[in-house]
Amino acid sequence: MNQHLPLAPAKVRIGHSACPHDCPSTCALDVELPGPGTIGRIHGARDNSYTAGVICAKVARYSERVHHPDRLLKPLVRKGGKGEDQWLEASWEAALDLVAERFEAAEARHGSETVWPYFYAGTMGLVQRDGIERLRHAKKYSGFFGSICTNLAWTGWMMGAGALRGVDPREMAKSDCVVIWGTNGVVTQINVMTHAVRARKERGAKIVVVDIYDNATMKQADMALILRPGTDGALACAVMHVLFREGLADRQYLARYTDDPQGLEAHLESRTPQWAAEITGLVVADIEAFARLVGTTKRTFFRLGYGFSRQRNGSVNMHAALSIPAVTGAWQHEGGGAFHSNSGVLTLDTRLLEGTRLRDPEIRYLDHSRIGPVLMSHQDALFGGPPVTAMLVQNTNPANVAPEQRLVRQGLLRDDLFTCVHEQFMTDTAVLADVVLPATMFLEHDDIYKGGGNQHVTLGPKLIDPPPGPRTNHFVIEELGKRLGVADRPGFGMTEREHIDIMLGRKGLGDFAAFEEQRWADLQPPFEEAHFLDGFGHADGKYRFRPDWTGQAAPNRPPRNMGPLGPVGRLPTYPDHVELIEAADAEHPFRLATSPARSFLNSSFTETPSSRRREGRPELLVHPEDALQLGVRDGDRVEIGNRRGEVVLHARLFAGLKRGVVIAEGIWPNSAHERGEGINVLTGADAPAPYGGAAVHDNKVWLRPA
Ligand SMILES: Nc1nc2c(c(=O)[nH]1)N[C@H]1C(S)=C(S)[C@@H](COP(=O)(O)OP(=O)(O)OC[C@H]3O[C@@H](n4cnc5c(=O)[nH]c(N)nc54)[C@H](O)[C@@H]3O)O[C@H]1N2
Ligand SMILES: Nc1nc2c(c(=O)[nH]1)N[C@H]1C(S)=C(S)[C@@H](COP(=O)(O)OP(=O)(O)OC[C@H]3O[C@@H](n4cnc5c(=O)[nH]c(N)nc54)[C@H](O)[C@@H]3O)O[C@H]1N2
Ligand code: SF4
Ligand SMILES: [Mo]
């Protein structure tokens, strides 16, 4: 008689995938599949040693996004004027025919470089993200120099280490001190915290956080260093000054592994804690305490993020911070050294997928971050070629996320520009298009993912059918290829699976079918290599305190037609503070950073109800004393502005930042702001030295009651 036993819960089928979003964590996912075409909650895979069962809340609730009532389901062709949001529904055949026809017409008039395929990392799946390159190479369309995110950071790292890899991020759990520098881990890549907190729990490790405000990550810190934006180079120099001064530099390591320790030491003599205190706004005692902590704790792990590189001196500051473990010799110890990204080791052979053999080296590249100046035909942005009169946009929302938004919008509204946007939602960019095509979501198509913030290559197979209507990026590229006469070129005519089989096979990792079982592969390099104990990535094996700012190879080095970018003559010989930033002045007394919001991911999730609820409304963090001086109270409307434009937000009084600094969290949809213009109205599209990027946290603004 067992009628009193509780009923066993119905077993929900679980599918395995990878998070496709543009986040260094690239979590391995377990997806509840309660019925055909539907998903339940998403969980982090417990048996993945990096994900370790933890994912962020916004992806756990992904059913809100997959089953969202506002998903695009039909191809749309513009009916009214540009941006009026009036559409005619069209069949896929008719919409694709129209796009191909308009691309051919544009090419006939201006040459192939007038077409600019524009894409980014809305999905990080290699097939769905990068297949667009195959079309562009085959058609000799303008190239895309994808600079917005990683350039400033990767360049700074490469200048010192010469290779884009580092200590196993899981090794943080074996550290005695974890320095989380310029990344808001709790918000932007939760798994950093999993491993850092493990070190504290298991070994009593100290957590140091270096940031410009008392954010969610800093709440976890044993030592919290809040400095002025764009001054990390000064802090790093003063730390190294103290290390040399107090005998905490590892001279044996320096002699063996670095290029010019004597030169560095002499250079740092004047970079005292007093000097850095003036620049950073920190107090001398805190700078010294930080230096002594990292100088006496051999197992110190520097987790260097993207955030602090989003300044016009960001590459310099990344290199300066990375130079600290080269002075202490922390690299020699388990749990010691530094990590920023493993993108340099997670390489798969994408030549066939991207049609690399079809590439014509004479074709110009255009700068991703400078889409505003490009579309407004600023001569320095076009590199002597024709104006851009046709675009295909996939996986990105430039009308919202790109700097100098007024230029971007003006450009997208040009009558002589034809734009096709392939999207999941009617974004700020899609609404300005001529043709909008509905896209699948990651659980609805096959792809393969690699996580720069860890060491795994993870499969994301199709787990559910899409609703009727949306098609994959791969489908769009293949269909345009047929209509544009390049379907017989190498790399076309294959399925997603076939591409994945080739990429995995060439790396000796097996194939799609094997990954359906094993789910991922761990490509972390061995200890010696990850710690650079067999030498750094430069030819002489040395860490460079004296970078070759314009000669150094880097994963994101600008293509030939661009050359080094920005004011390269002002880059320093050794680590230093350089005033390349938009320093505050009488007209613009405040420095604005546009840090990420927890429940949004760039422009994504701004459409999901729970994320919107959690974030509330666009706010500006203002120091209470600054507010008092301006007569601004908590909740008041305030306008911030500069020569690029102005934006209205609601003030939130917040004492956890330096006076003169304001922070607007999240890239809210333009429509969430009063005048229909978003925060990127204020950010600049000038290319920072030496290899470009977007200095989105480096803005001088005025602030007044609105
Ligand atoms: N929830 C959420 N997660 C995200 C994203 C998101 O928008 N929301 N974006 C994703 C993407 S595309 C990326 S590239 C990563 C980026 O993730 P992170 O590497 O964390 O970089 P950011 O988010 O730009 O900024 C991190 C922190 O740097 C701070 N910061 C800004 N300027 C300075 C400075 O000069 N010095 C110092 N020390 N700190 C500074 C910011 O205020 C912020 O607290 O996150 C990804 N994950
Ligand atoms: N002010 C300010 N501006 C910033 C930043 C900042 O911190 N502050 N961060 C910058 C950074 S680091 C980055 S990386 C950029 C990112 O900016 P975006 O590249 O725009 O980033 P996402 O919001 O990740 O993705 C864009 C779009 O991709 C779509 N998408 C997702 N998957 C697919 C797919 O499979 N197919 C198709 N066709 N579409 C898909 C989504 O619906 C979404 O609308 O923003 C930058 N801009
Ligand atoms: S933490 Fe990043 S990778 Fe992990 S689920 Fe969230 S957005 Fe995706
Ligand atoms: Mo990014």
Side-chain angles (χ1 to χ4, degrees):
M1 303 295 281
N2 52 8
Q3 70 263 39
H4 296 300
L5 287 180
L7 285 172
K11 256 238 152 66
V12 176
R13 198 159 62 88
I14 299 291
H16 304 295
S17 189
C19 177
H21 286 284
D22 190 0
C23 168
S25 276
T26 315
C27 293
L29 306 179
D30 289 341
V31 185
E32 292 177 5
L33 299 169
T38 58
I39 67 159
R41 271 190 85 79
I42 297 188
H43 309 269
R46 271 181 210 217
D47 55 344
N48 180 286
S49 54
Y50 188 72
T51 305
V54 180
I55 61 167
C56 64
K58 59 194 178 299
V59 170
R61 300 185 302 254
Y62 213 78
S63 58
E64 276 186 46
R65 199 160 188 273
V66 172
H67 306 305
H68 198 295
D70 297 342
R71 268 190 78 172
L72 293 171
L73 298 174
K74 293 263 173 43
L76 302 170
V77 176
R78 176 166 67 84
K79 191 165 76 175
K82 282 209 186 201
E84 285 177 7
D85 202 12
Q86 310 236 2
W87 308 93
L88 286 172
E89 289 182 3
S91 69
W92 269 99
E93 286 292 309
L96 289 165
D97 286 350
L98 177 62
V99 176
E101 203 179 285
R102 297 296 300 265
F103 279 18
E104 297 279 33
E107 181 176 348
R109 176 128 193 249
H110 296 284
S112 64
E113 287 179 329
T114 197
V115 185
W116 193 23
Y118 192 94
F119 62 104
Y120 206 55
T123 173
M124 295 277 280
L126 299 188
V127 180
Q128 309 294 351
R129 185 188 66 194
D130 299 333
I132 191 171
E133 289 281 35
R134 186 166 75 252
L135 181 68
R136 100 133 159 112
H137 289 316
K139 292 294 298 174
K140 299 186 194 291
Y141 293 153
S142 276
F144 179 81
F145 175 52
S147 60
I148 214 166
C149 177
T150 60
N151 277 50
L152 281 156
W154 287 10
T155 301
W157 178 281
M158 286 296 292
M159 291 293 155
L164 191 57
R165 62 169 190 266
V167 172
D168 189 332
R170 294 165 297 194
E171 220 179 283
M172 219 185 259
K174 304 207 176 113
S175 307
D176 294 324
C177 174
V178 178
V179 181
I180 301 176
W181 194 319
T183 177
N184 189 359
V186 168
V187 165
T188 63
Q189 38 173 338
I190 186 66
N191 310 82
V192 167
M193 305 315 291
T194 306
H195 299 280
V197 168
R198 190 174 285 171
R200 173 153 66 199
K201 269 200 197 128
E202 292 174 8
R203 313 174 51 87
K206 291 270 178 292
I207 297 179
V208 183
V209 174
V210 183
D211 210 285
I212 57 170
Y213 75 121
D214 187 11
N215 59 24
T217 304
M218 201 164 277
K219 302 261 183 277
Q220 304 282 327
D222 300 294
M223 183 183 280
L225 299 171
I226 299 179
L227 41 58
R228 296 196 183 105
T231 66
D232 302 75
L235 172 61
C237 285
V239 166
M240 292 187 282
H241 170 101
V242 175
L243 293 172
F244 279 111
R245 188 182 72 194
E246 302 192 356
L248 297 170
D250 183 337
R251 292 185 186 275
Q252 245 176 342
Y253 179 86
L254 282 162
R256 174 153 177 217
Y257 283 102
T258 70
D259 63 340
D260 184 13
Q262 283 83 14
L264 177 72
E265 187 174 358
H267 160 78
L268 289 173
E269 237 161 76
S270 58
R271 272 57 178 178
T272 60
Q274 290 76 6
W275 166 83
E278 287 283 313
I279 298 167
T280 58
L282 294 167
V283 296
V284 168
D286 286 350
I287 298 172
E288 289 180 338
F290 177 40
R292 286 174 194 139
L293 177 65
V294 303
T296 54
T297 314
K298 288 304 171 194
R299 291 171 173 241
T300 293
F301 194 116
F302 289 81
R303 184 66 177 79
L304 305 176
Y306 286 97
F308 80 111
S309 77
R310 307 202 187 293
Q311 303 279 339
R312 285 172 180 76
N313 58 7
S315 293
V316 175
N317 293 348
M318 170 61 86
H319 171 258
L322 178 61
S323 295
I324 300 174
V327 172
T328 62
W331 288 104
Q332 301 160 102
H333 306 276
E334 190 178 31
F339 180 77
H340 169 62
S341 169
N342 254 340
S343 293
V345 288
L346 294 170
T347 49
L348 292 176
D349 185 343
T350 56
R351 282 176 299 181
L352 193 61
L353 172 75
E354 297 188 34
T356 310
R357 271 178 47 205
L358 309 172
R359 191 175 95 85
D360 177 345
E362 297 306 315
I363 299 294
R364 72 168 170 191
Y365 280 75
L366 299 172
D367 191 339
H368 174 193
S369 305
R370 307 202 70 222
I371 178 174
V374 167
L375 292 185
M376 292 312 289
S377 294
H378 293 187
Q379 281 314 305
D380 65 331
L382 290 179
F383 298 100
V388 169
T389 63
M391 290 180 85
L392 170 63
V393 180
Q394 285 186 320
N395 330 318
T396 182
N397 185 6
N400 178 236
V401 307
E404 243 183 301
Q405 187 176 102
R406 282 191 182 163
L407 285 184
V408 181
R409 188 179 154 82
Q410 250 179 297
L412 288 169
L413 284 170
R414 266 172 43 209
D415 276 330
D416 63 336
L417 173 71
F418 172 83
T419 313
C420 170
V421 175
H422 187 198
E423 248 303 342
Q424 297 162 340
F425 292 97
M426 188 57 82
T427 59
D428 288 321
T429 308
V431 82
L432 301 177
D434 297 279
V435 172
V436 177
L437 302 173
T440 45
M441 290 194 181
F442 77 108
L443 297 166
E444 301 161 350
H445 56 233
D446 290 323
D447 218 327
I448 185 110
Y449 303 85
K450 43 187 200 165
N454 61 71
Q455 56 292 102
H456 290 96
V457 171
T458 308
L459 188 72
K462 179 178 171 196
L463 296 178
I464 56 171
D465 284 327
R471 299 284 172 89
T472 65
N473 289 9
H474 184 69
F475 171 85
V476 168
I477 298 308
E478 287 292 313
E479 288 299 312
L480 287 176
K482 286 180 199 160
R483 286 164 174 79
L484 293 163
V486 293
D488 59 343
R489 311 302 300 276
F492 285 90
M494 296 164 57
T495 63
E496 284 101 330
R497 281 182 184 233
E498 287 167 341
H499 279 294
I500 293 167
D501 279 344
I502 285 180
M503 288 186 277
L504 292 176
R506 286 184 180 167
K507 187 90 178 176
L509 291 173
D511 60 10
F512 188 102
F515 266 62
E516 279 186 304
E517 289 296 312
Q518 79 188 56
R519 294 173 282 161
W520 55 73
D522 180 345
L523 302 186
Q524 179 64 39
F527 185 90
E528 293 268 306
E529 205 182 315
H531 285 251
F532 296 108
L533 297 180
D534 50 2
F536 284 89
H538 303 290
D540 62 0
K542 304 270 179 146
Y543 180 87
R544 284 191 184 163
F545 292 124
R546 295 171 60 120
D548 180 0
W549 285 112
T550 54
Q552 171 63 51
N556 270 349
R557 188 174 173 170
R560 224 175 38 185
N561 71 290
M562 295 186 171
L565 299 165
V568 290
R570 293 181 58 196
L571 294 168
T573 307
Y574 291 101
D576 213 340
H577 171 71
V578 275
E579 280 281 332
L580 290 166
I581 47 177
E582 275 195 359
D585 55 32
E587 205 193 329
H588 311 87
F590 290 89
R591 297 261 300 141
L592 164 74
T594 59
S595 310
R598 185 167 190 164
S599 304
F600 300 153
L601 197 147
N602 305 324
S603 69
S604 303
F605 298 90
T606 55
E607 69 288 320
T608 56
S610 63
S611 286
R612 278 305 270 265
R613 235 181 358 256
R614 276 163 205 238
E615 294 298 334
R617 62 182 180 185
E619 287 183 330
L620 186 73
L621 305 183
V622 184
H623 195 284
E625 287 169 38
D626 288 331
L628 189 67
Q629 218 167 45
L630 293 164
V632 168
R633 288 157 311 171
D634 197 57
D636 280 358
R637 290 167 63 249
V638 288
E639 183 191 83
I640 44 175
N642 56 27
R643 66 185 163 74
R644 297 184 279 264
E646 50 299 300
V647 175
V648 173
L649 307 97
H650 287 88
R652 179 143 67 87
L653 303 197
F654 178 78
L657 39 61
K658 294 285 171 215
R659 287 200 62 183
V661 176
V662 289
I663 296 191
E665 286 187 350
I667 322 176
W668 287 80
N670 299 345
S671 57
H673 289 269
E674 279 185 18
R675 301 177 190 132
E677 291 183 319
I679 199 71
N680 277 310
V681 159
L682 302 171
T683 55
D686 49 310
Y691 291 168
V696 291
H697 300 332
D698 177 7
N699 314 283
K700 60 177 183 186
V701 292
W702 66 69
L703 163 59
R704 54 191 174 218

